[in-house]
Amino acid sequence: MGQLGCRALCLGLLDYKTEKYVVVKNKKVGLLYRLLQLAILLYLLGWVFLEKKGYQVVDAAVQSSVITKVKGVAFTNTSELREKIWDEADYVMPSQGGNAFFVITSLIVTPRQRQTTCAEWRKRRQAGLRDSPKVTESVNVQGLSGDSCPAHRAPTSPTPCAPRTATAPEEKLFLEGTVSRGTCGGLGHRAPLGIPEAPPGTSASLPGVRTGRCVRAGSKGRGTCEISAWCPVEGRRRPEKLLLEKAADFTVYIKNSIRFPQFNFSKALASQEGNSLGPFPSLRCPAVARRSNVRDTKDKSFLKSCHFGPHNHYCPIFRLGSLVHAAGHDFREMALEGGVIGIRIEWDCDLDQAPSACRPRYSFSRLDGARAAASGYNFRYAKYYQDADGVEFRTLTKVYGIRFDVLVSGKAGKFSIVPTLVNVGSGVALMRACSST
């Protein structure tokens, strides 16, 4: 019995099986069947092969290099800087150029700062006070707290702040968040009303470390805390007007070279086909088309007269004002408080065509958010010096401007038999599934 079962199983492996088809004489069912087949065929040819290029293998690991150079000259005449000529070495950071560069449009200069003690705030609005009648009528914000620092009279020498109990109006303002219970250091003494609260000794929002003493600041004798810091502290919070108004007419040259390592395809300036590698004549570069987003020409005057435009994508010289305008913003408004502009260069290369068909596409956008609470862009830097006695002092500069980030992305596709067979097989399987339903 066992031998007969084993023999039947072996013979059954050699059997040929076929399906039995039933022909339905129904025009509606036949029409629906043909429409499904047509939809699958259009999907396979139109979407998979024509739109998505399903017959290609894709390399999205683009290797990119960006070089930027800003040019432009401006003249300013201010009370702080007097007459000054600005060129790219003065207003561009970093100077070497790369995929991100910053152009100064306005600044605040605090000269000759030294490490000593001074008043914490130089202006009333910098102390965090609101110009509200409720505050000025309920509490004498100009007076000092404590009996040792009486109101409307500057002490001859800094004296410690005396403890003080808040009155009912002051307590009400504190609970409502209008003023805060600040301290002049870690001694537990009350500071003048309106001084932002700080932890003992220091705070990230303060220009220095509080010493625990109260002093007068300004010609009107307003009360504030004493700090140990680089003095005098920085005055204005924001620039009042634009310094480099001509910055909108400055130009930037952006050179972008790319390479797709999977296909050994690159876009650079000159043709390097078959060149030897320096002193090693036996090693030769592969034949690769090398161009970039710069037009390949021997005319040296081309880059001196051209500008980027809808019909001139191979002239990568951009006007800064045009970049901001293309992102949907006004240059003058943005330059006053600063901002970040993204310059996106996208490469979509079909390597089944000529290398010249691989062209960059540009788009521009603002990255920091115009209406965000933390919009704008600024930072500080200092230059240090020594006087005749060897004492160090510095000039602090807070700069506002526009930062430009060059963002490069891309992909390249080339015909390959493997993805072609995979997608054709998928289409045949869909046809088969449609026929069996």
Side-chain angles (χ1 to χ4, degrees):
M1 188 69 181
Q3 294 179 353
L4 294 176
C6 182
R7 182 181 178 183
L9 178 62
C10 293
L11 294 176
L13 296 176
L14 302 178
D15 294 340
Y16 173 75
K17 299 178 181 179
T18 183
E19 296 180 0
K20 182 178 181 180
Y21 291 92
V22 177
V23 178
V24 180
K25 299 292 185 177
N26 189 306
K27 294 182 178 179
K28 293 183 179 180
V29 175
L31 180 61
L32 178 61
Y33 172 65
R34 297 304 178 187
L35 289 177
L36 288 176
Q37 285 185 324
L38 180 61
I40 294 174
L41 185 62
L42 291 177
Y43 164 76
L44 186 65
L45 296 178
W47 178 257
V48 176
F49 285 107
L50 294 181
E51 180 66 24
K52 293 299 181 180
K53 294 183 173 63
Y55 55 88
Q56 293 183 336
V57 60
V58 177
D59 181 11
V62 58
Q63 298 175 351
S64 173
S65 172
V66 177
I67 299 175
T68 59
K69 295 180 181 179
V70 182
K71 288 189 177 181
V73 180
F75 171 80
T76 61
N77 187 3
T78 63
S79 58
E80 295 177 342
L81 303 175
R82 299 183 180 180
E83 295 184 354
K84 182 174 181 179
I85 299 294
W86 296 79
D87 61 12
E88 52 270 16
D90 299 315
Y91 58 77
V92 178
M93 297 181 179
S95 58
Q96 68 269 23
N99 58 354
F101 61 95
F102 175 78
V103 177
I104 298 175
T105 55
S106 191
L107 51 83
I108 298 174
V109 180
T110 308
R112 303 191 67 83
Q113 284 188 323
R114 298 176 183 271
Q115 292 192 19
T116 180
T117 58
C118 55
E120 178 180 339
W121 305 106
R122 294 167 62 181
K123 289 188 178 182
R124 178 178 179 273
R125 81 175 51 172
Q126 293 176 340
L129 297 178
R130 304 177 181 177
D131 294 329
S132 170
K134 183 176 181 180
V135 178
T136 56
E137 292 176 4
S138 300
V139 183
N140 182 9
V141 297
Q142 295 183 358
L144 291 174
S145 63
D147 298 333
S148 57
C149 291
H152 308 295
R153 187 178 66 186
T156 56
S157 61
T159 56
C161 301
R164 168 173 154 180
T165 303
T167 61
E170 296 171 1
E171 187 68 19
K172 179 181 179 181
L173 293 177
F174 168 73
L175 294 176
E176 293 177 351
T178 307
V179 297
S180 60
R181 292 177 180 174
T183 60
C184 286
L187 303 179
H189 303 302
R190 274 301 294 266
L193 286 172
I195 299 299
E197 186 168 354
T202 186
S203 170
S205 62
L206 298 179
V209 180
R210 287 176 175 169
T211 63
R213 291 176 290 184
C214 296
V215 294
R216 294 282 187 178
S219 59
K220 296 184 179 181
R222 304 184 186 277
T224 185
C225 294
E226 183 188 65
I227 59 171
S228 177
W230 286 93
C231 299
V233 297
E234 190 177 70
R236 287 180 290 144
R237 289 282 182 160
R238 294 181 179 180
E240 298 175 353
K241 62 179 181 178
L242 195 62
L243 179 65
L244 298 182
E245 297 182 355
K246 298 295 183 180
D249 296 325
F250 295 167
T251 60
V252 56
Y253 164 70
I254 303 176
K255 176 185 174 182
N256 177 217
S257 302
I258 61 167
R259 180 176 182 270
F260 294 99
Q262 182 174 345
F263 306 119
N264 199 21
F265 175 85
S266 63
K267 301 275 288 185
L269 267 179
S271 175
Q272 300 290 337
E273 183 172 348
N275 287 351
S276 62
L277 296 180
F280 306 100
S282 60
L283 300 178
R284 304 184 67 84
C285 297
V288 180
R290 296 183 182 271
R291 296 183 183 89
S292 70
N293 63 330
V294 185
R295 178 181 172 183
D296 189 7
T297 178
K298 296 182 180 180
D299 186 5
K300 297 182 180 180
S301 63
F302 171 71
L303 293 177
K304 296 181 180 180
S305 58
C306 72
H307 282 84
F308 176 84
H311 305 291
N312 198 3
H313 277 209
Y314 277 95
C315 178
I317 296 181
F318 304 83
R319 181 176 170 270
L320 299 187
S322 299
L323 292 177
V324 177
H325 179 73
H329 294 272
D330 181 72
F331 182 88
R332 185 178 183 85
E333 294 179 359
M334 185 176 181
L336 189 60
E337 294 188 2
V340 182
I341 292 293
I343 305 172
R344 184 177 181 86
I345 306 177
E346 185 178 1
W347 298 83
D348 190 0
C349 301
D350 186 356
L351 301 187
D352 295 325
Q353 301 180 13
S356 59
C358 182
R359 299 177 180 178
R361 291 187 297 178
Y362 296 87
S363 60
F364 313 94
S365 61
R366 182 168 182 174
L367 303 181
D368 63 312
R371 299 182 180 179
S375 63
Y377 190 83
N378 64 81
F379 61 91
R380 296 173 175 86
Y381 69 91
K383 293 184 178 180
Y384 294 86
Y385 310 91
Q386 284 187 348
D387 58 16
D389 298 328
V391 179
E392 185 181 50
F393 66 96
R394 73 179 188 182
T395 296
L396 178 66
T397 306
K398 182 178 182 181
V399 295
Y400 292 78
I402 302 178
R403 171 176 154 175
F404 296 88
D405 291 350
V406 183
L407 311 173
V408 182
S409 62
K411 63 179 181 179
K414 192 174 185 179
F415 173 79
S416 176
I417 191 63
V418 174
T420 303
L421 293 179
V422 169
N423 286 296
V424 170
S426 300
V428 172
L430 287 175
M431 290 284 193
R432 184 70 175 175
C434 178
S435 301
S436 62
T437 55

